[in-house]
Amino acid sequence: MSGCSNCCKRWFITFNGVECSGPLSIDVALWIPSSSHNVHRPGSIEGYCESIHKGKIRVGLNIGNCPGYGSANGETGWNSVSRLVIEEIPPSQ
């Protein structure tokens, strides 16, 4: 993100178009305090989602506005390679 003051974007994971609600959503937010900042840094999003049904699942990486902030350009993907690693683990006993 660049060229904005007091702006925030949120990256989040969805499963079949829906955010995880248990135990929490899987997301990360990036806030920029002033237009003089031009942030280019790698990041990672990790989390655990319960109660996903068996079968084919469509996983999405989404970007949106942070609650309470206006719209800003997320400018994602600058000179980078994106990787998405998903691991299915058995439920806890």
Side-chain angles (χ1 to χ4, degrees):
M1 295 185 333
S2 65
C4 61
S5 293
N6 196 31
C7 56
C8 181
K9 290 306 266 191
R10 177 178 173 260
W11 285 259
F12 57 98
I13 305 293
T14 56
F15 300 93
N16 292 333
V18 179
E19 280 193 75
C20 185
S21 61
L24 297 168
S25 61
I26 302 172
D27 67 349
V28 64
L30 179 61
W31 174 73
I32 304 296
S34 74
S35 60
S36 64
H37 289 80
N38 191 0
V39 177
H40 294 94
R41 63 179 170 222
S44 64
I45 304 172
E46 297 181 30
Y48 176 78
C49 191
E50 299 172 335
S51 302
I52 298 177
H53 65 79
K54 292 181 181 181
K56 190 179 280 190
I57 304 293
R58 188 181 75 241
V59 179
L61 175 59
N62 307 269
I63 184 171
N65 293 324
C66 297
Y69 289 83
S71 187
N73 186 338
E75 297 181 341
T76 58
W78 177 81
N79 197 27
S80 66
V81 175
S82 299
R83 294 166 186 85
L84 186 59
V85 177
I86 301 167
E87 181 180 357
E88 183 176 352
I89 59 173
S92 57
Q93 300 298 323

